[in-house]
Amino acid sequence: KVIAMSDSSGAIHDPFGIDIDIMRALKENDRARIDGYHKHVTESKFFPEEKVWQFKADLAFPCATQNELDQDDAKMLIDNGCIAIVEGANMPTTPKAKSLFQNKNLLFAPDKAANAGGGRCISPRNATKRIAAKLELLRSRPTASNHYGHQDYQHFAEKYKRPKDYVFGANVAGFLRVADAVHSYGVI
């Protein structure tokens, strides 16, 4: 269950689990700040200008912006017993934080693996007009490409003697895709 969420105003914590319908109505319909959740669920608590990494949780999903999860945040997550981090934005975890997660053998799904498909789900026309894709489309399209991406990432990590290093495997797979594309055009 999701116990904490944040936006640029702060973090909301609901130990009983965020009511997704209330949150969706606040953010999508009302275009309100996250602190409005507390008005609907009084057991929750709002923390102005705070991050969500302070709360004890098994999983963390940095999904907002680049470098939102730093080394201090990583230490807090590790100390609180977090077992996996899944990036849902472009490079939300700093390199030092990634190293900490890897050194502690936490499961870490980097953006290029976990967030793959977001750009493929939104047409260029819609992206430039900032029109959100339908949820059904987001759920249906990336499935196959993410599955094969996972196999590639795992394969390359093992091939180059770095088993379980999903970040390395994703980097190798991405590099090879670009190199193959450049080579197919006769550049290399």
Side-chain angles (χ1 to χ4, degrees):
K1 67 184 172 185
V2 177
I3 60 159
M5 296 177 84
S6 64
D7 64 15
S8 59
S9 68
I12 195 80
H13 179 251
D14 184 345
F16 301 107
I18 300 284
D19 185 317
I20 299 301
D21 292 331
I22 292 173
M23 189 60 73
R24 181 174 287 132
L26 278 170
K27 299 306 277 180
E28 292 179 4
N29 299 339
D30 302 342
R31 301 282 186 215
R33 305 307 302 160
I34 207 162
D35 66 335
Y37 182 85
H38 181 66
K39 296 171 188 163
H40 297 278
V41 181
T42 55
E43 297 84 21
S44 67
K45 184 163 181 168
F46 177 66
F47 298 83
E49 299 179 24
E50 292 283 333
K51 297 179 179 181
V52 295
W53 316 126
Q54 64 184 306
F55 305 111
K56 186 172 175 60
D58 296 325
L59 310 170
F61 297 85
C63 298
T65 187
Q66 187 172 343
N67 297 322
E68 71 173 282
L69 199 160
D70 62 25
Q71 188 174 9
D72 292 335
D73 300 325
K75 287 176 186 174
M76 208 174 330
L77 286 169
I78 291 166
D79 290 345
N80 282 335
C82 185
I83 60 170
I85 295 82
V86 180
E87 292 186 320
N90 294 326
M91 301 185 304
T93 308
T94 65
K96 288 182 180 181
K98 283 181 190 178
S99 291
L100 272 175
F101 295 141
Q102 290 175 312
N103 290 338
K104 295 290 185 177
N105 289 322
L106 270 68
L107 299 171
F108 183 80
D111 59 345
K112 60 186 71 65
N115 191 22
R120 291 188 294 259
C121 293
I122 302 170
S123 73
R125 192 182 111 245
N126 285 349
T128 57
K129 290 184 178 182
R130 296 187 183 272
I131 299 172
K134 296 283 185 196
L135 184 57
E136 295 79 24
L137 182 64
L138 289 171
R139 286 183 176 155
S140 66
R141 280 199 181 167
T143 306
S145 62
N146 285 353
H147 174 71
Y148 292 113
H150 164 74
Q151 289 177 341
D152 287 348
Y153 309 152
Q154 192 172 30
H155 165 76
F156 288 118
E158 290 172 6
K159 179 179 178 176
Y160 292 102
K161 312 273 188 268
R162 291 178 69 170
K164 299 183 183 179
D165 191 343
Y166 213 62
V167 174
F168 177 80
N171 286 337
V172 171
F175 174 81
L176 292 175
R177 283 188 194 124
V178 171
D180 287 347
V182 170
H183 183 68
S184 72
Y185 282 102
V187 176
I188 297 177

